[in-house]
Structure formats: structure tokens, C-alpha cells
Amino acid sequence: MTASLLWKRIWRHRLFYLFLLPGIVWFFIFSYVPLFGIQVAFRDFRFTGGFTGSPWAGLKYFRQFFDYYLAGDLIRNTLIISAMKLIVGFTMPIVLAILLNEVRSLKFKKTVQTLSYLPYFVSWVVVVTLMQRLLTPYGGPVNDFLVASGAVKDPIQFLNNTTWFYQIIVGSDVWKNIGWNSIIYMAAIAGIDQQLYEAAKIDGAGRFRQIWHVTLPGIRGISVILFILATGSLMSAGFEQLLLLNGPATAAIGSVLDVHVINSGISEGRLSYAAAVGLFQSVIALILILTVNRIARKVSDVSLF
Amino acid sequence: MASRKLPLFELLNYTLLTLFALTMIYPFIYILVYSLNDGKDSMLGALYFFPRKFTMDNYAQVFENHRIWQAYKITIMRTLLGTFLHVSLCTMMAYALSKKSLPGRTFFAYYIFLPTIFSAGFIPFFITLQKLHLINTFWVYVIPLLFSFFHIVIIRTFLQGIPEELEESARIDGYGDFQIFLKIILPLSGPVLATISLFIGVTHWNDWFSGAYYVSDKNLIPVQTLLQQMLTEAEALSSSLQRASQEGGQTVNVNLAGSTPESLRMALLVITVFPILCVYPFLQRYFVKGTMLGSVKG
């Protein structure tokens, strides 16, 4: 194609370039400029100097983080919480999708599905408020039920307590996201060839064996992909939830990297230090996702890239 | 047929799913009941499915509060404006990217995809907001949420499903590019536009973080942030009040009618959740499809 022809084509598409323009500018400012701004992790950031004007500091802020006596705790807490969320939060939507798939009554299925999406559409502030109200030992319905049914003698202090902290973090995360995350598995199950079920039935497979030998293999591919994607967030435990739920009583096991970045960066104004912690987090996340992707490709032939 | 096994499985499954559904909906029912019950009476506990002392006082008090009105106004404004701009701009971009003949199409697609793998993290983003002087303005709610890669992909996938012959025949009728977009493409895109509107609308409605960390002006705070502030401020107060009424009984006069910080909080929570509760079931059909598209192709 000659240059003039290309120009003609470009000119013919001028409206579409106009359509692209706001997005190109926006992605430049809000994605590429911050990417360029990663260098503040290696500089003594001063607001007047900006990204490039502040003096270099080398690895000072990374060292500061690793010398911080709670750094080990922060990393450990982050990994524990996100690993628990990954395991439970990854399997429960699959279980829900399989159970829903076995339902014959369309009306019942649709009702359960609609209700399952509900918590996804409310904010973490709302979820935390709900939990505080439901779980309070002072007249909260959960404790009332537990006492009335004889499961416990005295009401349980669920919140602000290290004993129940992880259960509550993982439980509320599953509660909020299970319905939404099951959508993709529902779709995958719907795509399974019905003849496979017929064949399994003829071979004498009951419901459980059909699930085991047909449904589960049928959603294997999509599950692997979603699992790889989820490992990318192993270094972030979900900052909104932990920002709201973690308090002084649970700090020892509930302080995580994301919240540390926000607190030290915005509340304390240590921007370069926070940027260094954040960068450490992103680099580990990237390594994790690449590693899991490689393992998945070797083990199961399914991979993200 | 294995007639014995089937009903057992069915029974178990229906029971489990019914319990599951109840777990999903009951917290909201409980809050509704609490918000419709006399606040002091609620502190006595044993309130589960129906209000014991029905009252609209909590709502009346919430709506009397000037701060709450202001916060609600901010939330509604940012949701309407933010959703409108996001959907318009993303649709324009997606339409351009759906044009197979567009020179440089692949480059632009990669240009918006790359930031989804390598993101800079929170602090450089925050500094950028500061440098743009968006901090402590209303626009900090709208501008950083104008575009989303995943939404653009979902819209583009939908637009690519529209037969090209439609555009060609419109062109023969003398339509220009812009007229085709406005009169042919947009009217056909109803389902996907509704889905994206729901996604971004909910994001705007639920965002408390921006209000808490990017804004200090009290008049600019959205409802979710207000709820979050009440959560941290009033928690200590209300639980100590409640403890006193439960254990001591004498120090707080529980026979006195009226709202408590807790019952007000529940009323605020209900009005925060209510609009979404009304909308999402009707859009379910669309967003189920939309999510599948987004996850598979994204």
C-alpha cells in the first residue's frame, strides 16, 4: 500500500480516530503516566519536584521496608489471608454452580441465582455494617440463634477478636462474591454436550458420578484459567474489606500490605516508601502469575498466555 | 431408574440451596426490620422477622439530617454523570475499535490492554491525581472512572455481532458515519449499554474509598463514605450503649421511645442499598451474558 493510499484510508476513518481520542488521552494520563511514576519508589519524592524532579534515593525505601520490624508479619498476613480466600473463594462458586445445575425447577433455580448476586452489588461498607449488626453478642440474631439452639452457652464475640477474624474475613468474602463468580461456571456447564450425560446414564452413572465424570472435566479449562488469574492477586488480600474490618484488636494477624501502602502513603504522607512497598507487591504478583501459568501449561495444557 | 437415590439427592440439594438463598437475603431483611423498628426497643434484642414497634422515625430522622441529603445528592450526581460519560466514551471507543478496516486498530487495542497486566500501583496513581489538582474536587469521582478496558471489550464484542450489511444499506441511503453510529448502532446496542451502565453505575454508587481518601471537603462526601464514617465513629458508642442496656438495664431507660445511632445507621444503610436492589434483578439477563463475554474474551 502506498503512503497516499494509507493517508486516504486514515482520512476516511477520521470520525473513528475522533472517537478514540478521549480514550487515548485518558489511558495515557491514568495508566501510562503512573507507570512512569513508579520511579518515585527510587526517589525522595517531593511534591514540588514531581516524578522526575525529586532526588534519587536508590533502594533506600525498599531497605526501610525490609528493616521494618513488622514487614515479615505484613507479608505473612497478606499471604495467609489471600491464600485462604483463594482456596475457599475459588471452590465455593464451582460447588454452587454444580448444585444449581442439578436443579430441575427453573423457577427455583432462577430465584436462587437472583438472590445469590445480591451481595455482589452492595459495597464493602454495607457488608461490614451488616456483619457488625448480625454478629454482635448484644442481641444480634446469629448469637441469639446459637444460644437458643444450644450450640453455645454464652454469646460469641465474633468481631474485634483474633479467634474468629480469618473465618469472618473469608466468610464475608465468599458471601459477597460467590453468586457473581459462579456465573462463568454456570455458562461453562451449560456448554457441556448433553450426550455425554446420556452416555454416562446408560453406563449406569448416578448423579454424583455424572458430576464427577462429566461436569467437573467439562469446566476444567475455565477453572484453570480463573485460578491462574486469581493467583495474581495473592499479594493483595482485598484492601477495602481489610481497611474496614481490621482494628487494633486484630492488627497482629489482620495487617496486610495493601492497607499498609494506603496508610503509610496517604495518611502518613510517606509516598516514596509506600510506592516502594507497592512496587514490591506488584513484582511478586507478576512472578506468581507467570509461575502458576507455566505450571498450569505443563500439567494441564491450559494456560493464560 | 435409581428411584431411591434420586429423591434423596434432590431433597438434599433443594434444602442446601434454600438455606443458601436465605443466607443471601436474610441480612437485608433483618436490617430492614431493624430500621423500621423503634430504636430503643431494638436494643432489647429478639428482633428477627417483623418490626415489634413499627415506626418510620428512623427514616424521618435520617432525611432530616442535612449532611445525609448533601451526601445523597453527591452520590446521585456522580452516579448519573459518571455513568453517562463512561458509557458514551467507552461506546465510542469500542465502536472505533470494532472497525476492522481502521488503520492502527491492533496498536490501539494493545495500548489499552497493556495497563491491565502492568499496573503502576496505588501511589503513583494518587500522585497523578494530585498533580492534576483533582484531589478535593467533585471531578475526582468522575474522571478517574471514565474508561475501563473490560467494558470496552464487552461493548466491542457486542458491536462486532451487528451485521455489516446494516451499515452498508444505511450508507446507500446517504447516512454518514456519525449518523450510522447514532441512528443504527446505538439503538441496537440497548442490552450491552444497559449492562455497562449497571456495572459502572454500581461502581459509582458503592465507591466509598474516593470519598474517604481523595476528599476532605465535608460537602463533597458521598453516602457510602458517610456510612463508613458512621461505622467507625458510632460503633464504639452504640455498642457501649447496647451493652449498658443489656447488662445493666437501669442506666439506660429502655422504655423511652426514639432512634438510636444504630437504628439511624440501619435506616441509612437501607436507603443506600435500596436503589440497587430495585435495578439489578431486571438487568440480570444482560449482565449474565455480559460477564461471560467479558471473562471469556478478556
Side-chain angles (χ1 to χ4, degrees):
Chain A
M1 193 192 309
T2 62
S4 72
L5 253 174
L6 179 67
W7 279 116
K8 240 184 206 161
R9 253 181 73 196
I10 290 174
W11 180 247
R12 208 177 336 118
H13 287 90
R14 58 193 179 279
L15 177 79
F16 303 118
Y17 290 109
L18 196 70
F19 277 8
L20 284 176
L21 189 65
I24 291 170
V25 173
W26 186 91
F27 277 96
F28 182 78
I29 295 175
F30 290 99
S31 299
Y32 288 94
V33 169
L35 219 51
F36 176 72
I38 283 178
Q39 56 180 293
V40 299
F42 304 96
R43 287 176 185 270
D44 275 318
F45 180 74
R46 281 177 212 139
F47 187 67
T48 45
F51 286 147
T52 51
S54 310
W56 288 104
L59 295 174
K60 178 177 148 195
Y61 291 106
F62 291 90
R63 241 178 257 130
Q64 215 174 77
F65 172 62
F66 288 111
D67 287 343
Y68 178 44
Y69 76 107
L70 288 177
D73 284 5
L74 284 168
I75 296 172
R76 196 200 61 210
N77 293 345
T78 307
L79 287 175
I80 290 177
I81 292 175
S82 53
M84 286 192 306
K85 277 188 183 177
L86 179 64
I87 294 162
V88 185
F90 175 75
T91 43
M92 294 313 276
I94 298 180
V95 173
L96 176 65
I98 289 173
L99 291 185
L100 274 171
N101 183 54
E102 298 295 323
V103 168
R104 298 248 174 81
S105 156
L106 266 178
K107 217 172 164 184
F108 180 80
K109 186 172 164 179
K110 186 125 193 279
T111 312
V112 175
Q113 260 181 294
T114 308
L115 292 177
S116 76
Y117 305 140
L118 176 54
Y120 180 80
F121 286 103
V122 304
S123 69
W124 267 116
V125 180
V126 167
V127 175
V128 172
T129 313
L130 285 174
M131 283 192 312
Q132 291 198 332
R133 189 57 247 150
L134 287 161
L135 297 176
T136 173
Y138 312 109
V142 173
N143 268 310
D144 281 3
F145 175 76
L146 290 176
V147 173
S149 67
V152 294
K153 226 170 88 223
D154 293 312
I156 300 171
Q157 281 274 5
F158 282 107
L159 293 156
N160 306 322
N161 186 327
T162 48
T163 325
W164 290 91
F165 187 71
Y166 286 151
Q167 288 89 322
I168 281 166
I169 291 286
V170 176
S172 56
D173 188 60
V174 169
W175 184 74
K176 193 174 191 300
N177 296 316
I178 184 172
W180 188 260
N181 290 343
S182 72
I183 292 180
I184 187 83
Y185 298 110
M186 297 287 297
I189 293 174
I192 296 173
D193 191 348
Q194 286 304 312
Q195 289 181 353
L196 291 174
Y197 286 104
E198 298 299 326
K201 256 184 234 164
I202 290 165
D203 289 345
R207 289 295 260 284
F208 286 107
R209 292 188 71 96
Q210 284 175 38
I211 291 170
W212 189 254
H213 291 292
V214 182
T215 311
L216 279 178
I219 58 174
R220 204 177 116 246
I222 190 77
S223 309
V224 172
I225 298 244
L226 290 179
F227 188 82
I228 298 172
L229 281 173
T231 52
S233 59
L234 256 180
M235 285 302 278
S236 49
F239 74 91
E240 280 195 284
Q241 182 192 21
L242 283 150
L243 208 53
L244 293 166
L245 267 173
N246 187 25
T250 51
I253 61 166
S255 300
V256 296
L257 289 169
D258 313 68
V259 178
H260 185 58
V261 168
I262 291 162
N263 282 342
S264 55
I266 302 194
S267 311
E268 295 166 25
R270 298 158 67 201
L271 286 167
S272 282
Y273 170 78
V277 180
L279 183 57
F280 163 71
Q281 222 181 332
S282 331
V283 169
I284 304 280
L286 190 69
I287 294 171
L288 275 172
I289 204 166
L290 292 176
T291 314
V292 175
N293 189 54
R294 172 168 287 186
I295 296 171
R297 199 167 47 199
K298 275 209 178 120
V299 175
S300 69
D301 290 337
V302 187
S303 69
L304 198 57
F305 36 77
Chain B
M1 278 183 97
S3 54
R4 271 226 187 119
K5 254 188 181 170
L6 272 177
L8 180 71
F9 180 89
E10 220 94 325
L11 190 73
L12 208 71
N13 194 15
Y14 276 78
T15 315
L16 262 175
L17 286 173
T18 308
L19 278 175
F20 169 77
L22 280 175
T23 323
M24 291 289 135
I25 188 81
Y26 180 71
F28 296 98
I29 295 175
Y30 179 72
I31 296 305
L32 186 68
V33 169
Y34 202 103
S35 73
L36 288 170
N37 197 53
D38 179 273
K40 293 244 164 62
D41 178 70
S42 302
M43 290 199 309
L44 297 170
L47 189 70
Y48 306 119
F49 294 99
F50 302 100
R52 188 164 46 209
K53 264 193 186 175
F54 179 85
T55 177
M56 292 295 280
D57 272 6
N58 299 318
Y59 288 94
Q61 276 209 42
V62 162
F63 283 118
E64 253 172 42
N65 188 324
H66 167 76
R67 267 183 86 193
I68 290 170
W69 273 115
Q70 179 62 21
Y72 221 67
K73 203 174 88 191
I74 294 287
T75 297
I76 291 171
M77 265 165 51
R78 68 172 286 188
T79 304
L80 291 180
L81 188 71
T83 305
F84 173 76
L85 289 175
H86 177 94
V87 174
S88 319
L89 291 170
C90 285
T91 308
M92 279 159 56
M93 191 159 202
Y95 183 54
L97 290 174
S98 76
K99 289 280 153 206
K100 290 201 178 71
S101 55
L102 183 84
R105 187 174 91 121
T106 325
F107 168 77
F108 294 120
Y110 272 106
Y111 175 80
I112 65 169
F113 169 65
L114 277 182
T116 62
I117 330 179
F118 300 108
S119 97
F122 178 66
I123 297 298
F125 176 76
F126 178 71
I127 296 172
T128 309
L129 293 184
Q130 271 186 332
K131 287 278 169 198
L132 293 168
H133 297 286
L134 282 172
I135 298 294
N136 230 359
T137 66
F138 173 76
W139 294 102
V140 80
Y141 298 133
V142 178
I143 294 175
L145 286 176
L146 280 180
F147 287 90
S148 147
F149 168 74
F150 287 104
H151 294 177
I152 293 171
V153 170
I154 293 172
I155 302 172
R156 191 189 66 174
T157 312
F158 180 90
L159 294 179
Q160 280 171 343
I162 297 175
E164 269 177 66
E165 289 77 18
L166 222 55
E167 287 187 37
E168 312 231 316
S169 65
R171 215 175 291 277
I172 291 165
D173 288 346
Y175 277 27
D177 282 337
F178 194 65
Q179 277 176 309
I180 290 175
F181 177 67
L182 222 57
K183 295 188 176 154
I184 310 278
I185 302 296
L186 282 187
L188 286 172
S189 311
V192 77
L193 297 188
T195 308
I196 301 300
S197 301
L198 176 75
F199 287 171
I200 188 70
V202 167
T203 306
H204 272 291
W205 190 270
N206 282 345
D207 173 36
W208 62 274
F209 186 85
S210 316
Y213 287 91
Y214 303 155
V215 164
S216 55
D217 184 342
K218 282 204 162 69
N219 288 320
L220 283 178
I221 281 173
V223 240
Q224 300 282 351
T225 308
L226 194 67
L227 190 65
Q228 174 250 337
Q229 286 173 356
M230 286 171 77
L231 184 77
T232 40
E233 285 164 15
E235 176 54 21
L237 181 75
S238 72
S239 64
S240 66
L241 213 67
Q242 201 138 30
R243 207 169 303 151
S245 81
Q246 289 260 315
E247 289 165 3
Q250 304 305 316
T251 44
V252 180
N253 190 348
V254 285
N255 295 322
L256 245 169
S259 303
T260 59
E262 188 73 353
S263 63
L264 292 181
R265 217 159 62 134
M266 296 310 133
L268 180 61
L269 192 142
V270 171
I271 60 171
T272 309
V273 171
F274 188 72
I276 292 172
L277 250 149
C278 295
V279 179
Y280 92 90
F282 297 101
L283 294 168
Q284 187 177 336
R285 189 156 51 100
Y286 302 131
F287 71 64
V288 168
K289 261 190 206 141
T291 317
M292 277 151 50
L293 268 182
S295 333
V296 174
K297 310 250 171 174

